[in-house]
Amino acid sequence: MKLRTSRRGAVKLASLAMTGVLLSGCGLSSGSSVPLQVEPGTIQRVPELEGVTITVGSKAFTEQLVLGYIAEFALSAAGANVRDLSNIVGSSTARRALASDQIDILWDYTGTSWISYNGNADPIPDARQQYEAVKQQDLERNGIAWTAIDYQVDNTYAFAVNQEAAHRLGVEKISDIPKIIAERPEDATFCIDTEFANRNDGMPGVEQEYGFTADKSKVKTLTEGSIYQATANGTCTFGEVFTTDGRIRSLNLKVLADDHQFFPRYNIGITTRDELLKRYPQITGVFEPVSAKLTNEELMKLNAQVDVDGRDPADVARDWLVQQGLVRLPDGQAAAR
């Protein structure tokens, strides 16, 4: 999905995207150490996880980096020996890393698994039904288990416009786009990222569902981080965004309604290999209190601290866990500022 570079020295997997070859060695010994230390809070030590080496991965965009570090600190508080293998470029690459034992824990999105990993064409609008279908299919087909699902977070795709364009063009919903293309083709410009341009649940699917074909010369492919500003300053009229991104609010963008309910539900949950979850079912208990406190609003704030305020994702993740009482700082340490 989105690309974001952490300032900490996390192991990078950019080479995987180019070569398709996983890093050598066992996944449970790969990666770097957790960048910050925490002590147990309401997440207590779990005897069964004490000293167990668990490698946490994340995709290479802000929300995933924050979530990845949240997972690392939660497991560290529980007593696990956590390895950091964050910033994996590309959703499919991250999923392959999980399936092949290169990583053990990955926050993922139900819609991504349903559409991109499992190849289903039609999303299921009901979040719980979508989750149950993904959970069953991933387990039966791929040996991947889902746990600690969070229905409060739905980081789905959307299109946004700036306030001037919204007022001038009178757009409120995605089904208004065909009219703009027909009547005001000069305004029918789009900014999207490379992955969205090719995903079944991205631009090709949107065009098919809503009955329009964008002029390819008016579709700009940008890095995810550039799209929000390009939409705000009018470089493009319609920008691909994610509904938990803090830049929507900071740049005062208007999100268009997905009135055909095309985009799948992108509820987050912990994914791991089924054999690992069966061996350590206590993993669920570590993450359920985390999921209970994460909402779209909370994630939007956390993402904004990175993308708008320039804070490090690891600092943001640890401070949030401390504020929620889930972990505490080691004696003598203060929260990052």
Side-chain angles (χ1 to χ4, degrees):
M1 293 171 77
K2 304 163 264 188
L3 177 62
R4 179 74 57 223
T5 302
S6 171
R7 295 195 297 275
R8 296 196 182 271
V11 174
K12 303 300 188 289
L13 289 183
S15 60
L16 297 183
M18 295 183 288
T19 66
V21 179
L22 290 172
L23 297 175
S24 61
C26 175
L28 296 181
S29 62
S30 300
S32 62
S33 59
V34 177
L36 299 167
Q37 299 303 307
V38 298
E39 298 292 338
T42 56
I43 297 175
Q44 291 289 302
R45 296 285 183 188
V46 178
E48 295 85 352
L49 296 178
E50 196 77 37
V52 175
T53 300
I54 299 177
T55 302
V56 176
S58 79
K59 305 175 191 182
F61 59 92
T62 296
E63 179 167 295
Q64 276 277 306
L65 290 171
V66 172
L67 287 171
Y69 286 126
I70 285 174
E72 292 178 20
F73 298 139
L75 287 166
S76 293
N81 175 28
V82 180
R83 307 298 293 170
D84 170 19
L85 208 55
S86 57
N87 210 34
I88 302 172
V89 178
S91 297
S92 296
T93 307
R95 173 60 170 240
R96 287 195 299 271
L98 178 66
S100 64
D101 296 11
Q102 188 60 52
I103 61 175
D104 302 307
I105 296 291
L106 176 70
W107 288 96
D108 218 330
Y109 305 88
T110 52
T112 300
S113 181
W114 184 250
I115 301 291
S116 296
Y117 305 153
N118 286 291
N120 297 289
D122 298 320
I124 299 173
D126 181 83
R128 292 182 182 274
Q129 292 178 16
Q130 178 70 92
Y131 169 65
E132 292 299 331
V134 166
K135 182 179 180 180
Q136 180 179 351
Q137 201 165 88
D138 257 344
L139 186 61
E140 293 175 351
R141 290 183 179 182
N142 309 308
I144 299 296
W146 285 75
T147 191
I149 187 67
D150 188 347
Y151 294 111
Q152 301 179 95
V153 172
D154 183 9
N155 184 16
T156 192
Y157 285 111
F159 278 112
V161 297
N162 64 32
Q163 295 297 330
E164 185 277 331
H167 179 74
R168 177 169 53 86
L169 301 175
V171 289
E172 297 283 342
K173 53 192 182 299
I174 298 177
S175 61
D176 292 330
I177 292 178
K179 182 178 180 180
I180 300 301
I181 291 176
E183 299 179 1
R184 306 189 64 159
E186 69 278 5
D187 287 313
T189 55
F190 298 81
C191 287
I192 60 177
D193 71 15
T194 302
E195 191 165 342
F196 185 80
N198 297 289
R199 287 173 63 121
N200 293 337
D201 54 345
M203 194 68 175
V206 172
E207 289 179 316
Q208 181 176 358
E209 173 64 29
Y210 282 93
F212 69 86
T213 301
D215 183 340
K216 301 307 178 187
S217 68
K218 295 181 179 179
V219 178
K220 300 179 184 295
T221 302
L222 305 177
T223 61
E224 178 271 332
S226 303
I227 293 173
Y228 294 82
Q229 190 60 54
T231 306
N233 64 25
T235 299
C236 55
T237 301
F238 304 102
E240 165 220 343
V241 299
F242 296 84
T243 52
T244 58
D245 199 296
R247 288 167 292 190
I248 293 173
R249 181 174 299 169
S250 68
L251 294 171
N252 195 27
L253 300 179
K254 178 182 178 63
V255 175
L256 301 184
D258 178 16
D259 48 319
H260 288 195
Q261 293 188 313
F262 166 75
F263 291 121
R265 304 280 61 80
Y266 287 87
N267 300 116
I268 61 170
I270 291 291
T271 61
T272 185
R273 293 179 303 284
D274 183 49
E275 53 86 15
L276 186 65
L277 188 60
K278 285 178 177 176
R279 196 187 324 160
Y280 301 112
Q282 299 80 11
I283 288 172
T284 296
V286 172
F287 287 110
E288 282 182 337
V290 177
S291 289
K293 291 181 178 295
L294 281 171
T295 64
N296 267 25
E297 182 70 18
E298 286 293 300
L299 268 178
M300 186 174 284
K301 292 176 183 176
L302 296 177
N303 292 334
Q305 288 183 49
V306 178
D307 291 325
V308 179
D309 302 334
R311 298 191 66 208
D312 189 280
D315 293 332
V316 170
R318 188 178 71 161
D319 288 354
W320 180 79
L321 286 165
V322 170
Q323 290 163 6
Q324 300 299 319
L326 293 163
V327 307
R328 63 180 179 84
L329 296 173
D331 292 341
Q333 289 193 20
R337 291 290 184 264

